[in-house]
Amino acid sequence: MSAILEASAVPTASRRFRPGRMLQRHPFPVVGGVLLGLLVLSALAAPWIAPHDPIEMNIIDRLQPPGGDYLFGTDAYGRDLFSRVLHGGRVSILIGFTVAAASTVIGLLIGVVAGYFRLADAIIMRVMDGLMAIPGILLAIALMSLTRASLWVVVVAITIPEIPRVVRLVRAVVLSVREQAYIQAATAIGTRFPRLMRLHILPSTFAPLIVQATYICASAVLTESYLSFLGVGTPPEIPSWGNIIAEGRLYVQLAFWNILFPGIALALMVLSVNVLGDGLRDALDPRLARRL
Amino acid sequence: MGPYILRRVLATIPVMGVVAVIVFLMLRLSPGDPAAILAGDQATMADIAAIRERLGLDQPLLHQFVVWVGELLTGDLGKSIYLNRPVTGLILERVEPTLALSISTMIFAILFAVPMGVVAAWRAGSWVDQTIMGLSVLAFSVPVFLIGYGLVIGFALRLDLLPVQGFVSLWDNPVGFARHLVLPTMTLGLVYMALLARITRATMLDVLNEDFIRTARAKGLAEPRVLILHALKNASVPIVTTIGLGIALLIGGVVVTESVFAIPGIGRLTIEAVLQRDYPVIQGVILAVAGVYVLVNLAIDLTYSALDPRIRF
């Protein structure tokens, strides 16, 4: 109650950034954002904060339980799991962010064309319907089978199945915007297409796209781990979370920590991105916020 | 009614056509010589030439496509390079475990998710709602294998209540079949349940704001009756439609779950095919799975148009 009075009495006070109040109002997105920030920082700083070399083998210390010199224990080759998990974060974050950015940009371009040009729309949407009928992970697996595995092939294989959803989203926004009176007005005064696009149509797509991009990021991180877990993802010598778990599955009974710690890191990363996405959706679209 | 059904059935043809073109072009347009990629690293020139001829890759592209589609229409998905057997037969051999896991997961998820979503929407904003929604975000953020191995360590290795892995056919041993399905179903069901609970809640919230709900309450109807007979019944169309579209996601989860529990299903077949670079099998699996997805969604749409006269597209 006092907060409302204070805000109405001193309008500028509510504009000042107050972390405490934000935490109180939107606890989940803020916690998610902070958690994601910590994960990204620790991954970026991995070469400096990791206590051991992530690929240095030390057979004498193989399958050590967590504790002592090895915070998360060691794997079957005596490599320090904590250092590997820190480094694995770099791969996941790289893949998550690249896939989110690439699929959003490509989807935006195709979606705008589909939404604005009737002729292209019919063809593009049939292709997207076809792509969506193939489960994303199967399509990614099939794409992985066609070339020698590398980090960039993984990015492409995960990006392609994510594109149709972006296209549909952008197309829906463009279709609804192009009927608005202000677009007719802009066309009437002779605004050329590129300018119309840039100033009047594209801005409406940004809010839903940002939300979609966070969900894609979360899903890409999970998909990478699934592909690597199945043995058809990131090349095994790169310590991604999926690869650490794929190696650890052979020793589930002897050393479950080989699956537990990278699994928890993965879950925290995906959870923080998803929660952040929910928060962004609520903040950017108040109409939806009441519903979901 | 008649024209709608016809149009809806015909609409599946371009979708399947596009899937076929995608699968066909994927191999042909991949960087490098497809025959050399499929032959692997240790292949001799003769091996590569043999594969090129087997798959007809030396023919003109259009000719290849027409021949291939002609075979597809007769139900012939081609032959496995590695096993030298028809792909259709390979898929049919592996279909039982995948189908069993998909169906049991769906039932498990619907049984729990729909009541959870209804309660969350009914008490929107309360601690019950926040708990259910919080848990559901958690459940679909946790990777399938973490849940899977957690359940294996707990229920199979420590408590020794259920088998660790594998699959038993329903026709051989119904009890063994059920026991082997419990852990995989719970693993995948938790993820799918989370998704379904969110959708149920969102749809129910929409319906609960409608005028006829207010009328029903004003008439003095009991709250369970309002929720189930008035609200859930009307929310069921979007919920079931989303379940249909979610099959693509479910199949992705099935592939990973089959790997965790060493279940010899379609997922395992696909992974084996990828490791052996057996492209005809991969291609056949994708076509078959996409076909099932399209047919299930067709069935859902047609059922609803029969039940609800308002639905016309």
Side-chain angles (χ1 to χ4, degrees), chain B residues 19 107 117 127 157 204:
Chain B
V19 173
I107 295 173
W127 66 268
L157 298 176
M204 280 294 284

Side-chain angles (χ1 to χ4, degrees), chain A residues 150-232:
Chain A
S150 77
L151 211 52
W152 295 113
V153 175
V154 176
V155 168
V156 173
I158 302 176
T159 301
I160 291 177
E162 298 285 357
I163 292 175
R165 255 172 290 276
V166 182
V167 173
R168 288 175 80 114
L169 180 77
V170 173
R171 172 181 176 267
V173 174
V174 173
L175 277 181
S176 69
V177 169
R178 58 177 284 179
E179 305 303 328
Q180 303 284 322
Y182 70 87
I183 298 292
Q184 287 176 9
T187 320
I189 61 168
T191 312
R192 284 178 201 287
F193 180 69
R195 186 180 165 84
L196 189 72
M197 223 11 122
R198 190 161 43 86
L199 287 181
H200 302 292
I201 295 180
L202 285 186
S204 334
T205 64
F206 287 163
L209 267 186
I210 290 172
V211 176
Q212 189 67 25
T214 44
Y215 292 141
I216 290 178
C217 177
S219 132
V221 170
L222 267 185
T223 308
E224 186 279 328
S225 77
Y226 289 157
L227 290 178
S228 302
F229 176 77
L230 294 170
V232 294

